[in-house]
Amino acid sequence: MPAADFSAVPVIDLRSSPAATAAAIHQAATEVGFFYVTGHGVPDGVIADAYAQSAAFFALPAAAKLSVRIDRRHRGFIEIGEAKMYEAAQPDLKESFIFGLELPESDPDVVAGKPLMGPNRWPDRDLPALRPALTAYFEAVGALGQRVLARMAVALGLAEDFFAARYRKPLARGSIIYYPPQPPTAADARYGVSAHSDYGCITLLSQDATGGLEVRNRAGDWIAAPPRPDCFVVNIGDLLARWTNDRYASTPHRVVNRSGRARYSIALFYDPDVDTPIETLAGCLTPGQAPGYPPTTCGAYIAERFDRAFAYRRR
Ligand code: OGA
Ligand code: NI
C-alpha cells in the first residue's frame, strides 16, 4: 500500500473488490479518520428530494419550525444558539432538524424510557413532503452505512455482520443542516460548526456545492474537505474510536461558510442499538495490552455527550 497522504482526504470506490475496499477503509480510518465514498448506491433522486425538502423546511416561518422544536429524545428543530461545542467561544451559526428511527410510544423500548428513542417530530401540517423525503434518505444512507461497517468489521477481524447484529433498532439520527449566509470577509467570521469530533460510531455526510468543511490533519493543519461529485464524506466518531481503543481516529473538523450564500448539508450519525456494550474490541489490543477505556453502552455514552453540547437538555 502506498504511504498515506495526510494532506488530503482519500476517496474510496465501494465498487472495488470487498478486500480492497476493506483495506482502503481501514487505512483511512486509522490514519485520517475521514474518507469519501463513491459508488455508494444512494439514488440521486433520494438525495435531491432530501435537499429540496430541507430548503423548504428552513424557509418556513419561525413559528412553524418552533412547533416541532427539539424534544428530550433529540428529535426536531434546533435553532441558532442551541448547539455549542465544548471549548467554543460562541454557539454554532446553524439551524438543524433531527430525525431518527420512527418508533411509536407503544414500542417496549420507548415505554421503558430508553434514551433517544421514540417518534419523530414531523411538521406534517406545514410541510407534509418532509417526512417521506427524509424517511427515504434515512433508509438509503443507512444501507450505505451498513456496507461501510461490514467492510470495517472484516478489516477489524470481526464477522462481516458484527455491526449489522448491533443495528436492529439503531440510535442512528439524521440531521438536515442550514448554515445561513454571513459576510464572506467579516473579521469575526463565525463557525457554522466550530471544531469538534462527532460523538458516535460513523457519520455519513452529504454536502451541497458550497464548500466550507475543514478537517484537522495529523500535523495540526486544517485542510479542506470540499464537496466531490457523487461522494459522501464518512468519518469516525468518538464512540468507534473508543470501541477500537483509538485504533480508528475520531478527527476534529469544523465548518466555516465563507461563500456569502446559504449552505445546506445532511448528516447521518449512524450509531448502534441503545444497549450495545461498548467494550474494547479484542482485535484492537496487542497481547497484554489493557483497554484504555472502561465499558459503556451506546445509549449512555451518546446521551451524556448530548447533555454537555445542547442547551435544551439543561433547561
Ligand atoms: C456535524 C458536522 C459538517 C457539515 O454536524 O457534526 O460536522 O458539513 N457537519 O455540515
Ligand atoms: Ni461533525
Side-chain angles (χ1 to χ4, degrees):
M1 231 175 280
D5 175 12
F6 296 119
S7 69
V9 174
V11 181
I12 297 172
D13 189 338
L14 297 180
R15 292 162 298 199
S16 312
S17 76
T21 306
I25 288 176
H26 190 72
Q27 184 177 12
T30 306
E31 297 178 351
V32 189
F34 264 83
F35 49 96
Y36 295 91
V37 292
T38 188
H40 52 70
V42 180
D44 290 345
V46 168
I47 300 171
D49 283 355
Y51 274 101
Q53 294 309 320
S54 167
F57 174 78
F58 291 113
L60 289 174
K65 292 187 275 190
L66 289 170
S67 76
V68 290
R69 191 174 198 168
I70 192 89
D71 67 6
R72 276 296 302 172
R73 291 138 170 182
H74 205 69
R75 307 298 173 87
F77 174 62
I78 304 184
E79 62 188 315
I80 290 173
E82 287 253 36
K84 184 168 166 316
M85 296 301 138
Y86 42 82
E87 294 170 7
Q90 296 202 71
D92 294 339
L93 189 59
K94 67 165 199 237
E95 295 181 8
S96 59
F97 173 87
I98 318 287
F99 52 102
L101 184 69
E102 181 79 40
L103 294 174
E105 296 287 358
S106 59
D107 180 279
D109 285 326
V110 180
V111 172
K114 297 278 172 78
L116 309 172
M117 301 181 80
N120 286 304
R121 303 257 295 151
W122 300 113
D124 281 333
R125 207 190 31 185
D126 295 301
L127 189 61
L130 187 70
R131 180 200 288 245
L134 296 189
T135 301
Y137 188 93
F138 187 80
E139 285 172 12
V141 182
L144 170 62
Q146 269 322 313
R147 280 176 72 195
V148 171
L149 288 173
R151 300 275 65 80
M152 276 182 183
V154 170
L156 288 165
L158 303 164
E160 188 172 8
D161 67 353
F162 175 86
F163 291 104
R166 286 157 180 79
Y167 279 73
R168 301 288 186 213
K169 283 160 76 173
L171 292 190
R173 300 163 313 283
S175 177
I176 52 172
I177 312 171
Y178 163 66
Y179 299 92
Q182 55 179 323
T185 55
D188 61 343
R190 271 178 69 185
Y191 291 109
V193 188
S194 53
H196 70 283
S197 51
D198 291 349
Y199 307 148
C201 189
I202 59 170
T203 305
L204 302 126
L205 178 80
S206 165
Q207 37 178 341
D208 72 5
T210 308
L213 175 63
E214 297 173 352
V215 175
R216 199 167 74 198
N217 71 8
R218 276 198 180 168
D221 300 321
W222 290 99
I223 58 170
R228 287 180 178 276
D230 301 319
C231 281
F232 282 79
V233 176
V234 181
N235 64 287
I236 312 302
D238 296 340
L239 189 78
L240 185 54
R242 180 179 173 128
W243 216 349
T244 62
N245 212 39
D246 292 320
R247 180 160 299 191
Y248 281 5
S250 178
T251 298
H253 52 283
R254 65 187 186 186
V255 172
V256 197
N257 179 13
R258 297 189 181 88
S259 66
R261 299 183 305 277
R263 176 180 189 268
Y264 297 87
S265 64
I266 310 177
L268 181 64
F269 303 103
Y270 197 56
D271 300 341
D273 296 335
V274 64
D275 292 327
T276 306
I278 307 296
E279 294 175 89
T280 304
L281 297 166
C284 295
L285 292 172
T286 51
Q289 187 188 6
Y293 302 95
T296 183
T297 64
C298 176
Y301 184 82
I302 301 287
E304 194 270 334
R305 296 294 300 268
F306 280 3
D307 289 348
R308 285 192 270 153
F310 294 103
Y312 82 87
R313 298 184 76 82
R314 297 187 291 271
R315 275 198 287 270

